Amino acid sequence: MTRPDAGGAPASPPSQPLWHKGWYRYARALASPNFGPRPEGAQIDLVVIHSISLPPGEFGNGNVQRLFTNELDWDAHSYFQGIRGLQVSSHFFIARTGALWQFVGCDDRAWHAGESSYRGRSNCNDDSIGIELEGLEGGLFEAAQYETLTGLCASLFQAYPIAHIAGHEHIAPGRKLDPGPGFDWPLLQDALASPLGVFPK
Ligand SMILES: [Zn+2]
């Protein structure tokens, strides 16, 4: 694999590393209290892709960021009654604009997968990285979101031994449906030039 900075181009000015203790340089950091340590020796080899919007289908209102930081006003919308008190998080959130947030360092365990099993291992929160795309389950996603997602996944490949990318629907079949049929798996696969084995069958 060629390093992106290989070649004859002059070195760019001194810059921060891409990753610092599991935090991604190009994400807006918004720390969530909803996380814990990963089990000793966890092999972080799975990226889980989700979709979320609060209330469903409404974008850009900051509610997802509030949910992941326990700041959501449960009385602000009738839909929130059904998730009142929910304590969840994801490592990353990609807004419709492609803007990227990070809530939990990737070396820590975020609370995005719930009861789950994939590649012969259960409790996927233990050894996966969760990426939430702002969207409606089953709906389409924006080109800007795929662009950010591709860059993020490529950077994750460099920092962690990622061997699988799957949707929440694949690791919790029958229980979860996100991101759903509107997510373009071949597009991501082509953009990453990744082997077929990395993606859900
Ligand atoms: Zn999900």
Side-chain angles (χ1 to χ4, degrees):
M1 194 184 213
T2 317
R3 285 167 52 92
D5 58 353
S12 48
S15 56
Q16 299 165 330
L18 209 49
W19 294 95
H20 180 68
K21 295 182 174 172
W23 291 84
Y24 186 47
R25 181 185 168 190
Y26 295 117
R28 186 183 302 188
L30 190 59
S32 170
N34 305 330
F35 72 97
R38 295 187 186 275
E40 193 76 25
Q43 178 90 346
I44 305 167
D45 63 352
L46 170 65
V47 168
V48 180
I49 293 176
H50 304 256
S51 63
I52 189 171
S53 49
L54 292 171
E58 291 187 21
F59 305 145
N61 53 24
N63 285 335
V64 174
Q65 291 91 329
R66 290 187 194 98
L67 176 69
F68 289 166
T69 51
N70 299 344
E71 299 279 342
L72 189 64
D73 175 4
W74 307 110
D75 296 318
H77 192 279
S78 57
Y79 177 81
F80 302 160
Q81 301 304 316
I83 58 169
R84 181 182 285 272
L86 188 68
Q87 291 191 332
V88 291
S89 62
S90 181
H91 293 94
F92 296 99
F93 172 66
I94 301 176
R96 301 298 284 185
T97 58
L100 177 65
W101 273 264
Q102 183 169 7
F103 301 89
V104 175
C106 293
D107 297 339
D108 284 317
R109 184 180 183 277
W111 303 346
H112 58 98
E115 195 182 333
S116 51
S117 177
Y118 199 68
R119 47 25 170 163
R121 277 143 60 191
S122 55
N123 297 318
C124 294
N125 278 338
D126 285 350
D127 42 20
S128 71
I129 289 166
I131 302 175
E132 297 271 2
L133 301 175
E134 185 173 30
L136 186 59
E137 197 171 274
L140 299 175
F141 297 89
E142 300 288 344
Q145 292 182 293
Y146 287 104
E147 214 167 284
T148 298
L149 178 62
T150 301
L152 174 58
C153 286
S155 298
L156 285 168
F157 284 179
Q158 292 186 346
Y160 297 91
I162 304 298
H164 307 273
I165 301 179
H168 203 182
E169 61 194 293
H170 303 109
I171 69 165
R175 190 174 71 83
K176 290 291 177 181
L177 298 168
D178 63 308
F183 184 77
D184 194 338
W185 289 99
L187 189 158
L188 181 63
Q189 187 172 324
D190 290 351
L192 288 170
S194 283
L196 282 166
V198 172
F199 289 87
K201 308 279 182 291

